């Protein structure tokens, strides 16, 4: 949270009329002792006293009568003199004349008073600092993120990062740079990074007591000032396409996109296949080679470092939390650039290509070929048992169905090309639904939701798809359509009240509803959703055609 801002209020400059406030009527003198007129020349003495009093009274009255004309009514010449006077005062106080009053002025806050999130998001600004900065933001449910600024050096032999010239009193910090902090079991498998603050009196690292100090802490690779490092892990659930995007690539975009490519990625638990699969995305986020933290034994030195990744939610980029207002549509544009065959930013230009979401082309479905529908199938669990009937239903509804059996080795450019040209996608709830990120806005995602997976289907895929501009439809499997009815009985608690199993934890829910369930789709109910999808596409085409006609009419005019 941001610290309260300190404000200093400057005293108001006295007004012109206030400058005459010292003129006051003098109190009347004490009445003299009356004496008879003829007694000892008393009349002469009284006259001597009365004359000065009368003069002072006349002068006071004359001064008071002049105040309205000199301060309340200002002519042009007087106004110019007042402006010049205020300019002189402003010069003395080093403030513009229009701020020479009750104006609050924000003072620059020290790094110690700034919240850590301001450094991580870039709101606090970068650049060199007289004293290093070390802080960790542990306030979030999904991830811990630490920030370092100064002289940061990697030490792979101890899985640590050393920060020289660290702030006084800084203590070592430990962080596991992965975005599922709430899952203790999976977080125990993530490598831990220790951030070690080295006080200023340690000099250049050769004065320490550790005999390895002079060699281990000497910079082998010094990265340019202003090019930070972002440290994260590709362990955990990496290998599942949903988690690779939701827990890895999208948080990496959230954390690093603001650097415009001028950032170095330092990866724990590095996998070469991961780089091969997602290199087209990564090279649009960084202009530099990725560092394998575990096996690159060199000491890399940075002026700034972020350890950990920010995450906004499941497949979500929240524009309100992004310093530049970017959204999930900007991430999708990056995917289109990476997998559409366009040249990479690193090889063709010094800065990344602009993130512009491609517009959906106008298609008249009444004249063009049937809208293309991709049906993603599964082989081990959550299988569509009556797939041939589903394909036939899609064809009868006016679609051109294509069945896709994805394998781990299926290249992402192939999947992207298929979905980028598709009008609709059908899939049973599972990791493959993540590929809706490749679909154009205005197309349709139809998710088949098995028993017990309603909440997960909507949270993980339904809401993110809608934020991306897709039309989202759900087919919820009825109890009698689930294979669990044959295994446990139609009236069993497992089938009729999934919340009982879900309350026992994610793994129990997964074991029953995700690993042991297949579905048989009701063609009648499924056909109703297909007609709704076709109607949506037709309306989209009509609206698109209307816009095109309007643009054509405007051009003729």
């Amino acid at each position: 949270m941001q610290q309260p801002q300190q404000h200093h209020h400057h005293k108001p400059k006295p007004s012109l009329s206030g400058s005459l406030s010292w003129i006051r009527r003098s109190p009347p003198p004490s009445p003299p002792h009356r004496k008879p007129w003829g007694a000892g020349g008393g009349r002469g003495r009284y006259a001597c006293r009365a004359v000065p009093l009368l003069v002072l009274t006349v002068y006071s009255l004359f001064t008071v009568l002049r105040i309205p004309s000199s301060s309340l009514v200002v002519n042009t010449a007087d106004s110019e003199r007042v402006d010049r006077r205020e300019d002189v005062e402003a010069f003395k106080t080093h403030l513009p004349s229009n701020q020479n009053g009750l104006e609050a002025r924000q003072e620059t806050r020290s790094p110690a008073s700034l919240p850590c999130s301001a450094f991580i998001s870039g709101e606090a600004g970068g650049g060199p600092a007289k004293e290093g900065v070390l802080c960790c933001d542990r306030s979030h449910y999904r991830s811990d993120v630490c920030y370092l600024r100064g002289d940061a050096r990697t030490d792979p032999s101890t899985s640590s990062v050393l920060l020289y010239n660290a702030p006084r009193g800084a203590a070592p910090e430990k962080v596991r740079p992965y975005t599922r902090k709430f899952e203790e079991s999976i977080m125990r498998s993530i490598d831990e990074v220790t951030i070690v603050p080295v006080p200023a009196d340690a000099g250049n690292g050769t004065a320490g007591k550790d005999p390895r100090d002079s060699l281990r802490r000497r910079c082998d690779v010094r990265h340019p000032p202003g090019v930070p490092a972002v440290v994260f892990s590709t362990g955990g659930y990496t290998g599942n396409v949903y988690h690779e995007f939701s827990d890895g690539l999208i948080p990496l975009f959230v954390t690093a996109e603001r650097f415009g490519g001028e950032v170095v990625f330092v990866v724990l638990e590095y996998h070469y296949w991961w780089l091969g699969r997602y290199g087209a995305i990564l090279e649009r986020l960084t202009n530099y080679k990725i560092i394998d933290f575990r096996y690159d034994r060199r000491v890399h030195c940075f002026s700034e470092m972020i350890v950990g990744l920010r995450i906004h939610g499941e497949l979500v980029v929240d524009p309100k939390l992004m310093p530049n207002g970017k959204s999930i549509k900007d991430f999708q544009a990056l995917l289109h650039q990476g997998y559409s065959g366009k040249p990479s930013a690193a090889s063709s230009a010094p800065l990344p290509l602009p993130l512009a979401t491609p517009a959906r082309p106008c298609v008249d479905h009444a004249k063009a070929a049937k809208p293309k529908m991709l049906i993603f199938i599964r082989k081990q669990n959550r299988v569509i048992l009556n797939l041939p009937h589903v394909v036939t239903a899609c064809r009868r509804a006016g679609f051109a169905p294509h069945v896709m059996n994805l394998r781990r080795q299926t290249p992402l450019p192939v999947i992207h090309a298929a979905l980028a040209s598709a009008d609709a996608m059908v899939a049973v709830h599972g990791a493959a639904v993540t590929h809706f990120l490749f679909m154009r806005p205005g197309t349709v995602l139809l998710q088949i939701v098995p028993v017990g997976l309603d909440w997960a289907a909507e949270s993980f895929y339904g809401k993110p798809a809608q934020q991306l501009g897709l039309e989202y439809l759900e087919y919820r499997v009825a109890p009698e359509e689930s294979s669990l009815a044959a295994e446990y009985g139609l009236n069993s608690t497992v089938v009729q009240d999934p919340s009982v199993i879900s309350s026992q934890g994610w793994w129990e829910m997964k074991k029953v509803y995700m690993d042991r369930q297949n579905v048989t789709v009701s063609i009648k109910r499924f056909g109703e959703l297909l007609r709704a999808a076709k109607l949506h596409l037709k309306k989209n085409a009509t609206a698109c055609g209307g816009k095109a006609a309007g643009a054509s009419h405007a051009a003729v005019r």
Side-chain angles (χ1 to χ4, degrees):
M1 297 178 61
Q2 292 186 353
Q3 301 294 329
Q5 297 180 351
Q6 298 179 359
H7 298 282
H8 298 276
H9 295 275
H10 298 279
K11 294 182 180 180
K13 192 179 67 174
S15 63
L16 191 59
S17 58
S19 63
L20 301 177
S21 60
W22 62 273
I23 301 178
R24 297 185 177 89
R25 294 180 182 272
S26 300
S30 302
H33 299 285
R34 295 185 179 273
K35 294 183 179 181
W37 283 98
R43 179 180 300 178
R45 287 195 301 273
Y46 184 82
C48 291
R49 292 177 180 179
V51 169
L53 179 61
L54 180 62
V55 171
L56 182 60
T57 302
V58 172
Y59 177 78
S60 300
L61 290 173
F62 175 77
T63 303
V64 170
L65 290 174
R66 285 190 59 193
I67 289 177
S69 62
S70 63
S71 64
L72 300 182
V73 180
V74 182
N75 58 28
T76 304
D78 293 334
S79 176
E80 292 176 355
R81 286 195 296 272
V82 170
D83 290 342
R84 286 196 295 271
R85 187 182 301 110
E86 289 184 349
D87 289 341
V88 172
E89 293 298 325
F91 179 77
K92 292 179 181 178
T93 58
H94 303 284
L95 284 174
S97 58
N98 59 356
Q99 293 183 5
N100 229 354
L102 291 177
E103 179 86 10
R105 188 175 68 180
Q106 180 178 348
E107 298 294 333
T108 302
R109 294 184 290 177
S110 66
S113 67
L114 289 170
C116 198
S117 59
F119 290 103
I120 297 167
S121 65
E123 298 174 33
K130 293 182 180 179
E131 186 179 61
V133 177
L134 170 57
C135 63
C136 292
D137 184 355
R138 303 184 186 273
S139 62
H140 297 270
Y141 176 70
R142 294 289 299 263
S143 65
D144 291 333
V145 185
C146 294
Y147 177 86
L148 299 78
R149 190 170 76 193
D151 182 4
R153 308 184 185 188
T154 63
D155 184 3
S157 63
T158 60
S159 190
S160 61
V161 175
L162 308 173
L163 178 64
Y164 288 87
N165 199 26
R168 295 178 181 85
E173 299 280 0
K174 293 181 180 292
V175 60
R176 299 182 189 271
Y178 191 63
T179 56
R180 298 192 75 84
K181 169 183 168 182
F182 58 93
E183 284 194 52
E184 294 183 6
S185 59
I186 200 67
M187 290 301 288
R188 284 195 294 268
S189 71
I190 302 299
D191 288 351
E192 186 176 65
V193 177
T194 302
I195 303 171
V196 182
V198 181
D201 55 12
N204 60 5
T206 60
K209 297 181 180 180
D210 191 338
R212 300 171 298 171
D213 189 72
S214 60
L215 294 177
R216 176 163 54 88
R217 302 184 181 183
R218 181 179 299 158
C219 290
D220 297 316
V221 181
R222 185 175 293 278
H223 296 269
V227 177
V230 171
V231 182
F232 61 96
S233 173
T234 57
Y237 291 120
T238 300
N240 177 291
V241 65
Y242 170 78
H243 292 287
E244 287 166 3
F245 276 91
S246 184
D247 298 329
L249 295 171
I250 293 180
L252 184 61
F253 175 85
V254 167
T255 307
E257 192 279 332
R258 69 180 179 89
F259 296 112
E262 289 301 301
V263 59
V264 177
F265 295 153
V266 180
V267 181
L268 283 72
E269 301 174 73
Y270 177 89
H271 304 286
Y272 285 99
W273 64 260
W274 176 81
L275 177 61
R277 188 169 179 82
Y278 298 111
I281 302 173
L282 298 171
E283 68 180 5
R284 281 162 175 77
L285 291 174
T286 177
N287 299 329
Y288 300 88
K289 291 183 178 180
I290 293 176
I291 298 172
D292 183 351
F293 186 77
R294 180 184 292 176
Y295 291 106
D296 189 338
R297 314 308 292 181
R298 296 174 298 175
V299 175
H300 292 264
C301 300
F302 298 91
S303 61
E304 188 178 7
M305 183 177 288
I306 297 173
V307 183
L309 299 178
R310 275 276 180 259
I311 182 171
H312 296 163
E314 308 293 340
L315 299 178
V316 169
V317 178
D318 188 344
K320 299 188 295 297
L321 301 179
M322 294 290 285
N324 46 20
K326 295 297 177 65
S327 70
I328 189 65
K329 294 182 179 180
D330 295 286
F331 177 76
Q332 187 198 49
L334 184 144
L335 298 181
H336 286 316
Q337 290 179 355
Y339 294 119
S340 63
K342 294 181 180 180
S344 67
S347 61
S348 62
L351 294 176
L353 296 172
L355 299 179
T357 304
R360 185 174 188 270
C362 292
V363 178
D364 186 351
H365 289 287
K367 298 179 181 179
K370 292 181 179 180
K372 178 182 176 182
M373 173 177 282
L374 294 185
I375 304 174
F376 285 72
I377 61 173
R378 301 175 61 91
K379 288 293 187 180
Q380 296 181 350
N381 48 43
R382 283 162 280 158
V383 176
I384 303 175
L385 298 177
N386 59 338
L387 178 62
H389 297 87
V390 169
V391 174
T392 301
C394 294
R395 188 175 292 113
R396 287 176 178 174
F399 289 94
H402 300 264
V403 176
M404 289 200 70
N405 181 18
L406 295 186
R407 302 180 185 276
R408 184 63 193 171
Q409 59 270 26
T410 303
L412 276 181
V414 172
I415 305 173
H416 174 268
L419 281 170
S421 61
D423 298 286
M425 170 183 173
V426 174
V428 181
H429 173 76
V433 185
T434 308
H435 295 110
F436 77 81
L437 291 168
F438 295 157
M439 300 181 71
R440 304 185 309 272
T443 54
V444 177
L445 170 62
L446 200 166
Q447 183 177 198
I448 299 174
V449 184
V451 170
L453 300 178
D454 297 358
W455 175 84
E458 182 179 4
S459 299
F460 296 170
Y461 302 116
K463 291 181 179 178
Q466 290 173 318
Q467 292 177 355
L468 197 56
L470 274 63
E471 177 74 4
Y472 176 65
L473 301 174
E474 269 188 4
Y475 178 91
R476 296 197 176 188
V477 173
E480 63 273 13
E481 298 170 359
S482 170
S483 63
L484 297 177
E487 182 176 355
Y488 293 95
L490 181 60
N491 296 321
S492 65
T493 302
V494 170
V495 175
Q496 296 296 333
D497 191 2
S499 62
V500 174
I501 304 299
S502 299
S503 64
Q504 299 177 22
W506 169 262
W507 291 107
E508 286 300 317
M509 187 274 290
K510 178 181 182 297
K511 185 167 57 177
V512 175
Y513 297 108
M514 300 184 74
D515 297 344
R516 303 179 63 173
Q517 182 174 194
N518 296 318
V519 300
T520 302
V521 175
S522 167
I523 298 303
K524 181 179 179 181
R525 287 201 301 123
F526 188 70
E528 294 173 357
L529 286 178
L530 292 176
R531 287 190 289 272
K534 186 71 181 302
L535 181 61
H536 167 76
L537 293 174
K538 185 177 180 180
K539 288 181 178 179
N540 247 22
T542 303
C544 189
K547 291 179 181 178
S552 176
H553 180 67
V556 172
R557 291 179 60 189

